[in-house]
Amino acid sequence: MPPGPGHIGRGFLTEEEKQNKPKITGALLKRIFSYLLPYWKQLALVLVCIVISSVFTLMPSILTGRIIDDGLIGRSMPALVRLILLSLAVTLAANLIGVAESYLNSWIAQHITFDMRNQMFRHLQEMSQRFFTSNNQGDIITRMTSDIDGVQMVITNTFTSILSNTITLIVALIAMFRKNWILALVGIVIVPLFTIPTRAAGKTRWTLTREAQACNDEINGILNETMSVSGQTLVKLFNREEYEYGRYESANRRMIALNIKEGMAGRWFRVIISTFSSIGPMLLYLVGGILMMRYDSTLTVGDITVLVALLGRMYGPVNQLLNIQVEWIRAMAMFTRIFEYYDMEPEIKNPKHGVTSRNADGTKGSVEFRNVDFYYEPERQILKNVSFRLESGRSVAIVGPSGSGKSTMINLIPRLYDVTGGEVLFDDIDVRKLDLHFLRDHIGVVTQDTYLFNGTIRENLLYVKPEASEEELIDALRKANVYDFIEKQEKGLDTVVGNRGLKLSGGEKQRISIARVLLKNPSLLIFDEATSALDSISEAKIQAAIDPLVNSRTSILIAHRLSTILAADEILVLKDGQIVERGVHKDLVALGGVYTELYNTQFKVMPDEAGEEKTGEKEETEKSKE
Ligand code: ATP
């Protein structure tokens, strides 16, 4: 079959693809091959199917010669019936084998992509925080979905297409040469000669289609911008109606011209295809006729018919093989992109023989920072020479202006990032020497930006402790001071929290996440207080939830509220990544430094809440007495 319009677009590379052509090396091919290797038996079977079905598909064309010569011209009814039946049987067999081949093929492709997807998921789970903060989520998802889907396409289409087309061509050529070498040579010259102009026409049409698409995008862009409420407000307030109309009109005008050109190119494309694909057979008939009548009396009508039929069968494979180069480059680019991800080394690795516990009586959760330096990017130091020790059972509040590095400090403890200088110790052991799962098991973090999965409250809690009983869940929620709220919900624990917990208020979310941490029962509690203002009732509820927690275990609190600060045994004041002041509230306020300023601008309670502040101060005095 000659190349149809459906082939347009697949056969040409875009400028971008041309520029990012992958380097096809032996190592890359070997690596791709390693994914195919586990399925070599099925692949071998596919290969056999392809060979048989390619040969069988050509058989009817070859048999046509004998139908004409032996059956029709020879006037033999039995030969005619036999050959027709044979032809039908071969066609049926070819199709049945084709079905088997498709099944096997998609089975293999699905299994290979299944393996690749799982491998990718596991690998990405091991990637560190930096990977997720510095890579676009969309890119990650594209690699997990479209790129791996692409692999499936490559296996089901590209690889098999190369094989079956090559085999078809070889078989067709052999059959042609066996019939008549001169006519076979004519065929060899004709096929590429006629495929090339078709491709050239296809390319022109493809370019026009792309231009029209770009123009269409532009028009949609203008519509999106101007037809929105805010867009229209802007247009109206700045009197830009004429300008916008002009922009729209000119894009629209370009679009008309392109659409007409594209339509006509499509028409010409079809003319070229049908002309060229009918000139081929005519030429063969002509040359065949001359040979038969003038030079070679052994050449039969049947032979010429076979040659013409085989010629017709060659356009498709030749065209597809010419396209293959492009598909091949695309496939290699896709594999390269996927392998690039596989090759990224996780920054934070679990040490081979990680320590799990130093203390026979369990972990205590003490934390020490020894001259810790840290940067996300080398050119910008975030933490500078930070040292402090938090004994087990005690608590420390970290305060400081926004961006001073508070969250960064706590990220270093569960090893979301590793220090760039100095060391962080948990239970007096460098966190890098501890088994990563053990370390993270013993740390409970309530983050500023509470993350809840889209599911029920129960599912969110069970995520951290699947075996927890109903009583345990309720107990944790009670302690987190959120059970009252849940009880009031019609569905109770089975209330759906909505996407990322959006159906809940900030305070409710944070209290649920406190309950989640309570279920985990960690030795060290890290509480990153939300900066966003909560009303005083929510705040009091959160406070009531964390106070007993802080008192019962080692805790680090990133504090934005005075009440939280006062709950801690020591306050560290961070500024530009350095601890500039440390001590208890009273002394720090008296110091007249960074803390005093923070206190005056952020923590100081409004006059009508002064009662609370007093209570706070009393607590603090009691603590300092201890
Ligand atoms: P806030 O009180 O506003 O939460 P913070 O004291 O907790 O602030 P950090 O979140 O630790 O501050 O950020 C410290 C600095 O590090 C900021 O200047 C921030 O821009 C930078 N930073 C934070 N995360 C990253 C990251 N993933 N990559 C690069 N820089 C970062």
Side-chain angles (χ1 to χ4, degrees), residues 153-173:
M153 279 281 293
V154 170
I155 297 166
T156 41
N157 292 343
T158 315
F159 286 165
T160 44
S161 164
I162 295 179
L163 267 177
S164 69
N165 287 321
T166 314
I167 294 170
T168 308
L169 276 184
I170 293 174
V171 176
L173 281 175

mmCIF file with all atom_site columns, all heavy atoms in Angstrom, residues 153-173:
data_model
loop_
_atom_site.group_PDB
_atom_site.id
_atom_site.type_symbol
_atom_site.label_atom_id
_atom_site.label_alt_id
_atom_site.label_comp_id
_atom_site.label_asym_id
_atom_site.label_entity_id
_atom_site.label_seq_id
_atom_site.pdbx_PDB_ins_code
_atom_site.Cartn_x
_atom_site.Cartn_y
_atom_site.Cartn_z
_atom_site.occupancy
_atom_site.B_iso_or_equiv
_atom_site.pdbx_formal_charge
_atom_site.auth_seq_id
_atom_site.auth_comp_id
_atom_site.auth_asym_id
_atom_site.auth_atom_id
_atom_site.pdbx_PDB_model_num
ATOM 1   N N   . MET A 1 153 ? 5.197  1.504   23.061 1.00 0.00 ? 153 MET A N   1
ATOM 2   C CA  . MET A 1 153 ? 4.961  1.731   21.637 1.00 0.00 ? 153 MET A CA  1
ATOM 3   C C   . MET A 1 153 ? 6.155  1.247   20.825 1.00 0.00 ? 153 MET A C   1
ATOM 4   O O   . MET A 1 153 ? 5.998  0.640   19.769 1.00 0.00 ? 153 MET A O   1
ATOM 5   C CB  . MET A 1 153 ? 4.796  3.229   21.364 1.00 0.00 ? 153 MET A CB  1
ATOM 6   C CG  . MET A 1 153 ? 3.438  3.780   21.647 1.00 0.00 ? 153 MET A CG  1
ATOM 7   S SD  . MET A 1 153 ? 2.347  3.362   20.308 1.00 0.00 ? 153 MET A SD  1
ATOM 8   C CE  . MET A 1 153 ? 3.087  4.342   18.991 1.00 0.00 ? 153 MET A CE  1
ATOM 9   N N   . VAL A 1 154 ? 7.360  1.571   21.334 1.00 0.00 ? 154 VAL A N   1
ATOM 10  C CA  . VAL A 1 154 ? 8.567  1.207   20.606 1.00 0.00 ? 154 VAL A CA  1
ATOM 11  C C   . VAL A 1 154 ? 8.640  -0.295  20.441 1.00 0.00 ? 154 VAL A C   1
ATOM 12  O O   . VAL A 1 154 ? 8.941  -0.807  19.366 1.00 0.00 ? 154 VAL A O   1
ATOM 13  C CB  . VAL A 1 154 ? 9.814  1.705   21.378 1.00 0.00 ? 154 VAL A CB  1
ATOM 14  C CG1 . VAL A 1 154 ? 11.069 1.120   20.779 1.00 0.00 ? 154 VAL A CG1 1
ATOM 15  C CG2 . VAL A 1 154 ? 9.865  3.207   21.365 1.00 0.00 ? 154 VAL A CG2 1
ATOM 16  N N   . ILE A 1 155 ? 8.329  -1.007  21.540 1.00 0.00 ? 155 ILE A N   1
ATOM 17  C CA  . ILE A 1 155 ? 8.449  -2.463  21.473 1.00 0.00 ? 155 ILE A CA  1
ATOM 18  C C   . ILE A 1 155 ? 7.359  -3.042  20.572 1.00 0.00 ? 155 ILE A C   1
ATOM 19  O O   . ILE A 1 155 ? 7.629  -3.888  19.725 1.00 0.00 ? 155 ILE A O   1
ATOM 20  C CB  . ILE A 1 155 ? 8.392  -3.084  22.875 1.00 0.00 ? 155 ILE A CB  1
ATOM 21  C CG1 . ILE A 1 155 ? 9.592  -2.569  23.667 1.00 0.00 ? 155 ILE A CG1 1
ATOM 22  C CG2 . ILE A 1 155 ? 8.412  -4.594  22.804 1.00 0.00 ? 155 ILE A CG2 1
ATOM 23  C CD1 . ILE A 1 155 ? 9.494  -2.814  25.130 1.00 0.00 ? 155 ILE A CD1 1
ATOM 24  N N   . THR A 1 156 ? 6.118  -2.555  20.733 1.00 0.00 ? 156 THR A N   1
ATOM 25  C CA  . THR A 1 156 ? 5.054  -3.141  19.912 1.00 0.00 ? 156 THR A CA  1
ATOM 26  C C   . THR A 1 156 ? 5.151  -2.682  18.462 1.00 0.00 ? 156 THR A C   1
ATOM 27  O O   . THR A 1 156 ? 4.819  -3.441  17.567 1.00 0.00 ? 156 THR A O   1
ATOM 28  C CB  . THR A 1 156 ? 3.642  -2.808  20.442 1.00 0.00 ? 156 THR A CB  1
ATOM 29  O OG1 . THR A 1 156 ? 3.643  -1.457  20.841 1.00 0.00 ? 156 THR A OG1 1
ATOM 30  C CG2 . THR A 1 156 ? 3.229  -3.695  21.575 1.00 0.00 ? 156 THR A CG2 1
ATOM 31  N N   . ASN A 1 157 ? 5.580  -1.432  18.232 1.00 0.00 ? 157 ASN A N   1
ATOM 32  C CA  . ASN A 1 157 ? 5.586  -0.952  16.848 1.00 0.00 ? 157 ASN A CA  1
ATOM 33  C C   . ASN A 1 157 ? 6.964  -0.934  16.204 1.00 0.00 ? 157 ASN A C   1
ATOM 34  O O   . ASN A 1 157 ? 7.200  -1.646  15.243 1.00 0.00 ? 157 ASN A O   1
ATOM 35  C CB  . ASN A 1 157 ? 4.997  0.454   16.748 1.00 0.00 ? 157 ASN A CB  1
ATOM 36  C CG  . ASN A 1 157 ? 3.528  0.437   17.062 1.00 0.00 ? 157 ASN A CG  1
ATOM 37  O OD1 . ASN A 1 157 ? 2.915  -0.610  17.035 1.00 0.00 ? 157 ASN A OD1 1
ATOM 38  N ND2 . ASN A 1 157 ? 2.963  1.585   17.364 1.00 0.00 ? 157 ASN A ND2 1
ATOM 39  N N   . THR A 1 158 ? 7.862  -0.105  16.763 1.00 0.00 ? 158 THR A N   1
ATOM 40  C CA  . THR A 1 158 ? 9.124  0.132   16.073 1.00 0.00 ? 158 THR A CA  1
ATOM 41  C C   . THR A 1 158 ? 9.912  -1.153  15.824 1.00 0.00 ? 158 THR A C   1
ATOM 42  O O   . THR A 1 158 ? 10.266 -1.450  14.688 1.00 0.00 ? 158 THR A O   1
ATOM 43  C CB  . THR A 1 158 ? 9.970  1.140   16.851 1.00 0.00 ? 158 THR A CB  1
ATOM 44  O OG1 . THR A 1 158 ? 9.135  2.209   17.233 1.00 0.00 ? 158 THR A OG1 1
ATOM 45  C CG2 . THR A 1 158 ? 11.126 1.653   16.031 1.00 0.00 ? 158 THR A CG2 1
ATOM 46  N N   . PHE A 1 159 ? 10.176 -1.908  16.910 1.00 0.00 ? 159 PHE A N   1
ATOM 47  C CA  . PHE A 1 159 ? 10.998 -3.107  16.750 1.00 0.00 ? 159 PHE A CA  1
ATOM 48  C C   . PHE A 1 159 ? 10.364 -4.095  15.774 1.00 0.00 ? 159 PHE A C   1
ATOM 49  O O   . PHE A 1 159 ? 11.015 -4.583  14.850 1.00 0.00 ? 159 PHE A O   1
ATOM 50  C CB  . PHE A 1 159 ? 11.224 -3.789  18.106 1.00 0.00 ? 159 PHE A CB  1
ATOM 51  C CG  . PHE A 1 159 ? 12.201 -3.046  18.982 1.00 0.00 ? 159 PHE A CG  1
ATOM 52  C CD1 . PHE A 1 159 ? 12.296 -3.327  20.337 1.00 0.00 ? 159 PHE A CD1 1
ATOM 53  C CD2 . PHE A 1 159 ? 13.036 -2.063  18.458 1.00 0.00 ? 159 PHE A CD2 1
ATOM 54  C CE1 . PHE A 1 159 ? 13.190 -2.635  21.150 1.00 0.00 ? 159 PHE A CE1 1
ATOM 55  C CE2 . PHE A 1 159 ? 13.930 -1.374  19.256 1.00 0.00 ? 159 PHE A CE2 1
ATOM 56  C CZ  . PHE A 1 159 ? 14.005 -1.662  20.614 1.00 0.00 ? 159 PHE A CZ  1
ATOM 57  N N   . THR A 1 160 ? 9.070  -4.352  15.953 1.00 0.00 ? 160 THR A N   1
ATOM 58  C CA  . THR A 1 160 ? 8.434  -5.349  15.090 1.00 0.00 ? 160 THR A CA  1
ATOM 59  C C   . THR A 1 160 ? 8.297  -4.823  13.678 1.00 0.00 ? 160 THR A C   1
ATOM 60  O O   . THR A 1 160 ? 8.389  -5.581  12.716 1.00 0.00 ? 160 THR A O   1
ATOM 61  C CB  . THR A 1 160 ? 7.043  -5.728  15.607 1.00 0.00 ? 160 THR A CB  1
ATOM 62  O OG1 . THR A 1 160 ? 6.392  -4.539  15.982 1.00 0.00 ? 160 THR A OG1 1
ATOM 63  C CG2 . THR A 1 160 ? 7.112  -6.662  16.767 1.00 0.00 ? 160 THR A CG2 1
ATOM 64  N N   . SER A 1 161 ? 8.083  -3.503  13.565 1.00 0.00 ? 161 SER A N   1
ATOM 65  C CA  . SER A 1 161 ? 7.938  -2.934  12.236 1.00 0.00 ? 161 SER A CA  1
ATOM 66  C C   . SER A 1 161 ? 9.249  -3.077  11.454 1.00 0.00 ? 161 SER A C   1
ATOM 67  O O   . SER A 1 161 ? 9.241  -3.419  10.267 1.00 0.00 ? 161 SER A O   1
ATOM 68  C CB  . SER A 1 161 ? 7.524  -1.474  12.393 1.00 0.00 ? 161 SER A CB  1
ATOM 69  O OG  . SER A 1 161 ? 7.705  -0.776  11.232 1.00 0.00 ? 161 SER A OG  1
ATOM 70  N N   . ILE A 1 162 ? 10.370 -2.843  12.117 1.00 0.00 ? 162 ILE A N   1
ATOM 71  C CA  . ILE A 1 162 ? 11.656 -3.010  11.434 1.00 0.00 ? 162 ILE A CA  1
ATOM 72  C C   . ILE A 1 162 ? 11.770 -4.451  10.938 1.00 0.00 ? 162 ILE A C   1
ATOM 73  O O   . ILE A 1 162 ? 12.061 -4.702  9.766  1.00 0.00 ? 162 ILE A O   1
ATOM 74  C CB  . ILE A 1 162 ? 12.839 -2.710  12.390 1.00 0.00 ? 162 ILE A CB  1
ATOM 75  C CG1 . ILE A 1 162 ? 12.814 -1.238  12.811 1.00 0.00 ? 162 ILE A CG1 1
ATOM 76  C CG2 . ILE A 1 162 ? 14.175 -3.055  11.730 1.00 0.00 ? 162 ILE A CG2 1
ATOM 77  C CD1 . ILE A 1 162 ? 13.917 -0.857  13.767 1.00 0.00 ? 162 ILE A CD1 1
ATOM 78  N N   . LEU A 1 163 ? 11.495 -5.371  11.834 1.00 0.00 ? 163 LEU A N   1
ATOM 79  C CA  . LEU A 1 163 ? 11.631 -6.783  11.479 1.00 0.00 ? 163 LEU A CA  1
ATOM 80  C C   . LEU A 1 163 ? 10.704 -7.187  10.343 1.00 0.00 ? 163 LEU A C   1
ATOM 81  O O   . LEU A 1 163 ? 11.140 -7.713  9.322  1.00 0.00 ? 163 LEU A O   1
ATOM 82  C CB  . LEU A 1 163 ? 11.274 -7.631  12.697 1.00 0.00 ? 163 LEU A CB  1
ATOM 83  C CG  . LEU A 1 163 ? 12.429 -8.030  13.591 1.00 0.00 ? 163 LEU A CG  1
ATOM 84  C CD1 . LEU A 1 163 ? 11.907 -8.789  14.784 1.00 0.00 ? 163 LEU A CD1 1
ATOM 85  C CD2 . LEU A 1 163 ? 13.390 -8.895  12.791 1.00 0.00 ? 163 LEU A CD2 1
ATOM 86  N N   . SER A 1 164 ? 9.392  -6.912  10.530 1.00 0.00 ? 164 SER A N   1
ATOM 87  C CA  . SER A 1 164 ? 8.452  -7.445  9.546  1.00 0.00 ? 164 SER A CA  1
ATOM 88  C C   . SER A 1 164 ? 8.631  -6.760  8.201  1.00 0.00 ? 164 SER A C   1
ATOM 89  O O   . SER A 1 164 ? 8.551  -7.414  7.156  1.00 0.00 ? 164 SER A O   1
ATOM 90  C CB  . SER A 1 164 ? 7.016  -7.349  10.044 1.00 0.00 ? 164 SER A CB  1
ATOM 91  O OG  . SER A 1 164 ? 6.629  -6.019  10.100 1.00 0.00 ? 164 SER A OG  1
ATOM 92  N N   . ASN A 1 165 ? 8.928  -5.451  8.209  1.00 0.00 ? 165 ASN A N   1
ATOM 93  C CA  . ASN A 1 165 ? 9.117  -4.771  6.925  1.00 0.00 ? 165 ASN A CA  1
ATOM 94  C C   . ASN A 1 165 ? 10.359 -5.258  6.199  1.00 0.00 ? 165 ASN A C   1
ATOM 95  O O   . ASN A 1 165 ? 10.345 -5.429  4.976  1.00 0.00 ? 165 ASN A O   1
ATOM 96  C CB  . ASN A 1 165 ? 9.177  -3.264  7.119  1.00 0.00 ? 165 ASN A CB  1
ATOM 97  C CG  . ASN A 1 165 ? 7.813  -2.707  7.443  1.00 0.00 ? 165 ASN A CG  1
ATOM 98  O OD1 . ASN A 1 165 ? 6.818  -3.151  6.890  1.00 0.00 ? 165 ASN A OD1 1
ATOM 99  N ND2 . ASN A 1 165 ? 7.751  -1.772  8.363  1.00 0.00 ? 165 ASN A ND2 1
ATOM 100 N N   . THR A 1 166 ? 11.443 -5.462  6.975  1.00 0.00 ? 166 THR A N   1
ATOM 101 C CA  . THR A 1 166 ? 12.657 -5.941  6.335  1.00 0.00 ? 166 THR A CA  1
ATOM 102 C C   . THR A 1 166 ? 12.415 -7.323  5.735  1.00 0.00 ? 166 THR A C   1
ATOM 103 O O   . THR A 1 166 ? 12.794 -7.587  4.579  1.00 0.00 ? 166 THR A O   1
ATOM 104 C CB  . THR A 1 166 ? 13.812 -6.006  7.364  1.00 0.00 ? 166 THR A CB  1
ATOM 105 O OG1 . THR A 1 166 ? 13.802 -4.809  8.100  1.00 0.00 ? 166 THR A OG1 1
ATOM 106 C CG2 . THR A 1 166 ? 15.151 -6.203  6.701  1.00 0.00 ? 166 THR A CG2 1
ATOM 107 N N   . ILE A 1 167 ? 11.768 -8.185  6.520  1.00 0.00 ? 167 ILE A N   1
ATOM 108 C CA  . ILE A 1 167 ? 11.526 -9.537  6.010  1.00 0.00 ? 167 ILE A CA  1
ATOM 109 C C   . ILE A 1 167 ? 10.628 -9.495  4.765  1.00 0.00 ? 167 ILE A C   1
ATOM 110 O O   . ILE A 1 167 ? 10.914 -10.139 3.750  1.00 0.00 ? 167 ILE A O   1
ATOM 111 C CB  . ILE A 1 167 ? 10.900 -10.427 7.101  1.00 0.00 ? 167 ILE A CB  1
ATOM 112 C CG1 . ILE A 1 167 ? 11.935 -10.614 8.215  1.00 0.00 ? 167 ILE A CG1 1
ATOM 113 C CG2 . ILE A 1 167 ? 10.484 -11.780 6.539  1.00 0.00 ? 167 ILE A CG2 1
ATOM 114 C CD1 . ILE A 1 167 ? 11.400 -11.259 9.450  1.00 0.00 ? 167 ILE A CD1 1
ATOM 115 N N   . THR A 1 168 ? 9.560  -8.683  4.831  1.00 0.00 ? 168 THR A N   1
ATOM 116 C CA  . THR A 1 168 ? 8.669  -8.588  3.668  1.00 0.00 ? 168 THR A CA  1
ATOM 117 C C   . THR A 1 168 ? 9.457  -8.158  2.432  1.00 0.00 ? 168 THR A C   1
ATOM 118 O O   . THR A 1 168 ? 9.303  -8.736  1.344  1.00 0.00 ? 168 THR A O   1
ATOM 119 C CB  . THR A 1 168 ? 7.551  -7.563  3.949  1.00 0.00 ? 168 THR A CB  1
ATOM 120 O OG1 . THR A 1 168 ? 6.952  -7.898  5.174  1.00 0.00 ? 168 THR A OG1 1
ATOM 121 C CG2 . THR A 1 168 ? 6.504  -7.533  2.851  1.00 0.00 ? 168 THR A CG2 1
ATOM 122 N N   . LEU A 1 169 ? 10.309 -7.143  2.621  1.00 0.00 ? 169 LEU A N   1
ATOM 123 C CA  . LEU A 1 169 ? 11.080 -6.657  1.474  1.00 0.00 ? 169 LEU A CA  1
ATOM 124 C C   . LEU A 1 169 ? 11.993 -7.736  0.921  1.00 0.00 ? 169 LEU A C   1
ATOM 125 O O   . LEU A 1 169 ? 12.057 -7.941  -0.300 1.00 0.00 ? 169 LEU A O   1
ATOM 126 C CB  . LEU A 1 169 ? 11.926 -5.449  1.883  1.00 0.00 ? 169 LEU A CB  1
ATOM 127 C CG  . LEU A 1 169 ? 11.227 -4.099  1.856  1.00 0.00 ? 169 LEU A CG  1
ATOM 128 C CD1 . LEU A 1 169 ? 12.214 -2.996  2.192  1.00 0.00 ? 169 LEU A CD1 1
ATOM 129 C CD2 . LEU A 1 169 ? 10.648 -3.850  0.450  1.00 0.00 ? 169 LEU A CD2 1
ATOM 130 N N   . ILE A 1 170 ? 12.692 -8.423  1.831  1.00 0.00 ? 170 ILE A N   1
ATOM 131 C CA  . ILE A 1 170 ? 13.622 -9.456  1.369  1.00 0.00 ? 170 ILE A CA  1
ATOM 132 C C   . ILE A 1 170 ? 12.870 -10.554 0.605  1.00 0.00 ? 170 ILE A C   1
ATOM 133 O O   . ILE A 1 170 ? 13.255 -10.928 -0.508 1.00 0.00 ? 170 ILE A O   1
ATOM 134 C CB  . ILE A 1 170 ? 14.407 -10.064 2.563  1.00 0.00 ? 170 ILE A CB  1
ATOM 135 C CG1 . ILE A 1 170 ? 15.325 -8.991  3.156  1.00 0.00 ? 170 ILE A CG1 1
ATOM 136 C CG2 . ILE A 1 170 ? 15.233 -11.274 2.127  1.00 0.00 ? 170 ILE A CG2 1
ATOM 137 C CD1 . ILE A 1 170 ? 16.040 -9.402  4.419  1.00 0.00 ? 170 ILE A CD1 1
ATOM 138 N N   . VAL A 1 171 ? 11.757 -11.017 1.218  1.00 0.00 ? 171 VAL A N   1
ATOM 139 C CA  . VAL A 1 171 ? 10.999 -12.097 0.565  1.00 0.00 ? 171 VAL A CA  1
ATOM 140 C C   . VAL A 1 171 ? 10.475 -11.625 -0.791 1.00 0.00 ? 171 VAL A C   1
ATOM 141 O O   . VAL A 1 171 ? 10.589 -12.328 -1.804 1.00 0.00 ? 171 VAL A O   1
ATOM 142 C CB  . VAL A 1 171 ? 9.832  -12.569 1.471  1.00 0.00 ? 171 VAL A CB  1
ATOM 143 C CG1 . VAL A 1 171 ? 8.991  -13.623 0.754  1.00 0.00 ? 171 VAL A CG1 1
ATOM 144 C CG2 . VAL A 1 171 ? 10.369 -13.129 2.774  1.00 0.00 ? 171 VAL A CG2 1
ATOM 145 N N   . ALA A 1 172 ? 9.942  -10.392 -0.823 1.00 0.00 ? 172 ALA A N   1
ATOM 146 C CA  . ALA A 1 172 ? 9.400  -9.876  -2.085 1.00 0.00 ? 172 ALA A CA  1
ATOM 147 C C   . ALA A 1 172 ? 10.501 -9.798  -3.142 1.00 0.00 ? 172 ALA A C   1
ATOM 148 O O   . ALA A 1 172 ? 10.297 -10.190 -4.300 1.00 0.00 ? 172 ALA A O   1
ATOM 149 C CB  . ALA A 1 172 ? 8.775  -8.506  -1.854 1.00 0.00 ? 172 ALA A CB  1
ATOM 150 N N   . LEU A 1 173 ? 11.692 -9.320  -2.723 1.00 0.00 ? 173 LEU A N   1
ATOM 151 C CA  . LEU A 1 173 ? 12.789 -9.187  -3.688 1.00 0.00 ? 173 LEU A CA  1
ATOM 152 C C   . LEU A 1 173 ? 13.232 -10.549 -4.213 1.00 0.00 ? 173 LEU A C   1
ATOM 153 O O   . LEU A 1 173 ? 13.444 -10.724 -5.420 1.00 0.00 ? 173 LEU A O   1
ATOM 154 C CB  . LEU A 1 173 ? 13.979 -8.470  -3.040 1.00 0.00 ? 173 LEU A CB  1
ATOM 155 C CG  . LEU A 1 173 ? 13.817 -6.947  -2.964 1.00 0.00 ? 173 LEU A CG  1
ATOM 156 C CD1 . LEU A 1 173 ? 14.970 -6.325  -2.207 1.00 0.00 ? 173 LEU A CD1 1
ATOM 157 C CD2 . LEU A 1 173 ? 13.754 -6.360  -4.390 1.00 0.00 ? 173 LEU A CD2 1
#
